[in-house]
Amino acid sequence: MNQATELGTEPIRKLLLKYALPGIIAMTASSLYNIVDSIFIGHGCGSLALSGLTIAKPFMDICAAFGSLVGVGSSTILAIKLGEKDYETANKVLGNVIVLNIILSSIVMAVGLIWLDPILYSFGASDATVTYAREYMQIILWGNILTHIYFGVNSILRSMGHPKSSMFATIVAVCVNIVLDPIFIFALDMGVRGAALATVISQAVAVVWQMSIFFNPDEIVHFHRGIWRLQKDITFRSISIGAAPFLMNLAHCFVVIIINNELKRFGGDMAIATYGVINRLVFVFAMITMGLNQGMQPIVGYNYGAKQYKRMLRTFRLTAICATLVMVVVFLLGECIPELMTKVFTHDPQLIDATILPMRIICSSLIVIGFQMVTVNMFTSIGMAGKSIFLSLTRQVLYLIPLTLLLPMAFPQNPILGVWWSIPISDTIAALTAAIMLWIEIRRFHRMIAEQDAYLATTPSLPAN
């Protein structure tokens, strides 16, 4: 209980460091799943296999999107309920997370396995790359239930005051994956199937460790009778709040699918492999920003539930500054040493040369992306699902998809440049949209703070926020 209530009393910088640092380590470690797989596959199986993995990634992201639909929404509710001291509902949230994840992941697994090849071809696979993508996704889909539970329970751990436990679960999974990858890919000659199997086994190990925490009756949130029955209000609120990251992830997947198909149209499999390399570089730093968001979420959610709006806004401001600094780093790497960054993933000189210019184009707008990501998460953390959904969809659907389809016409001699430039342009417009909406909301919170201060001035016996 003390671990939860500290969210409303400890200094903001100390709290954000305590909660964000494990989140950053966990998310950075989590990003190593794709990075390590890409490195081993790129060097061990070739550029076509790397292209196949790029095709499979949006499918994996769709699976993860269904996990975020439950995990993010439920962890937000749990943080708010802990702030309201409603511990009975907080425990029911845990049971609902497990049950909902099992149901959704089973449906996604069944649909994916039945229509796997048509899905992969629609995602941009060619006859040369579909085999690699199919072999990878078949195993990933069979382990989909474990993946959903792993990510969903990790969100709950962070919201109940166990960021280090969440971090440790991720590190365990990544370490197991790193050990198993070379064994399965090279020693056992399993290729991309080995990479997928290593990922599933590593998550299974992490889930076993996570479950052990919730069997401890001394935890403020733990397994016991009466929490497993789906509650209509918890289910509805979890899905409505989680709809923002879900739609954001889903929209991102469809954007990647469209980009893959446009790249295949104008540049072939090599262009798709190029996009995969750039995505993985940016992904590492985006995960650091998401780690900051994970650290921010329980602090913001708790203080919003406790009506401590000053602390809530200070937490957001500090997180946004840190996220911007993180994205400045990847901006500099992508602009200054793109060739060196590409060599991490491949030794193919053709792929290295093809990646330099696109990397510089895509990285040109990354300075504003950290702020945009934190703003979306801010609205999600306080239960404003509608605003989060709007911000998520504007970047992906309203801006990026039309630009991806239209800009190639602006470069008739080299239309693939239009595909590359559509990404930074849409990112910049989305950040401006987020800034306007945030400004409007902050003004409202400042009015509420002024009303609180005026009330407290007339009742000095009450503690100030």
Side-chain angles (χ1 to χ4, degrees), residues 177-191:
N177 190 52
I178 291 174
V179 171
L180 293 180
D181 256 341
I183 295 174
F184 290 157
I185 294 174
F186 297 108
L188 299 180
D189 196 25
M190 296 180 65

Side-chain angles (χ1 to χ4, degrees), residues 118-188:
I119 291 173
L120 294 175
Y121 275 113
S122 69
F123 284 10
S126 67
D127 291 338
T129 60
V130 71
T131 301
Y132 297 107
R134 181 198 305 122
E135 290 179 349
Y136 190 84
M137 283 308 304
Q138 281 175 337
I139 294 178
I140 292 294
L141 284 169
W142 279 112
N144 198 43
I145 293 176
L146 289 170
T147 301
H148 278 221
I149 293 176
Y150 165 66
F151 285 114
V153 171
N154 247 15
S155 297
I156 293 296
L157 283 172
R158 286 188 296 270
S159 290
M160 62 182 280
H162 283 308
K164 290 183 179 179
S165 296
S166 174
M167 174 191 71
F168 184 74
T170 303
I171 291 175
V172 167
V174 171
C175 289
V176 173
N177 190 52
I178 291 174
V179 171
L180 293 180
D181 256 341
I183 295 174
F184 290 157
I185 294 174
F186 297 108
L188 299 180

Side-chain angles (χ1 to χ4, degrees), residues 263-315:
L263 292 175
K264 178 184 175 183
R265 175 186 174 191
F266 297 121
D269 294 327
M270 185 61 67
I272 294 177
T274 294
Y275 185 50
V277 169
I278 299 170
N279 251 351
R280 278 156 181 77
L281 171 64
V282 176
F283 185 66
V284 174
F285 290 88
M287 289 298 100
I288 296 175
T289 301
M290 289 182 67
L292 285 166
N293 278 339
Q294 289 181 355
M296 180 188 81
Q297 182 178 341
I299 306 171
V300 166
Y302 185 98
N303 285 283
Y304 177 75
K307 295 182 171 56
Q308 299 187 161
Y309 303 123
K310 290 181 181 179
R311 289 176 57 82
M312 180 191 72
L313 292 178
R314 285 200 299 269
T315 303

Side-chain angles (χ1 to χ4, degrees), residues 28-29 31-51 53-54 57 136 174 177-178 181-182 185-186 191-192 195-196 199 273 276-281 283-284 340-348 351:
T28 304
S31 69
L32 290 177
Y33 276 120
N34 285 316
I35 299 299
V36 171
D37 285 351
S38 299
I39 291 173
F40 282 120
I41 289 173
H43 287 284
C45 304
S47 297
L48 285 178
L50 193 59
S51 180
L53 190 61
T54 302
K57 190 177 186 304
Y136 190 84
V174 171
N177 190 52
I178 291 174
D181 256 341
I185 294 174
F186 297 108
V192 294
T199 297
V277 169
I278 299 170
N279 251 351
R280 278 156 181 77
L281 171 64
F283 185 66
V284 174
L340 182 60
M341 292 296 98
T342 307
K343 286 181 178 179
V344 173
F345 299 93
T346 181
H347 54 263
D348 185 341
L351 180 56

Side-chain angles (χ1 to χ4, degrees), residues 99-120:
V99 175
L100 282 173
N101 271 317
I102 291 174
I103 294 172
L104 283 176
S105 60
S106 299
I107 295 172
V108 172
M109 178 184 68
V111 171
L113 288 172
I114 292 172
W115 289 289
L116 184 55
D117 273 20
I119 291 173
L120 294 175

Side-chain angles (χ1 to χ4, degrees), residues 347-364:
H347 54 263
D348 185 341
Q350 184 182 358
L351 180 56
I352 293 171
D353 290 340
T355 305
I356 294 174
L357 178 60
M359 184 177 292
R360 284 182 170 145
I361 293 174
I362 290 176
C363 289
S364 63

Side-chain angles (χ1 to χ4, degrees), residues 448-463:
M448 296 169 67
I449 291 170
E451 292 172 0
Q452 286 180 334
D453 290 343
Y455 175 75
L456 291 173
T458 62
T459 53
S461 59
L462 293 178

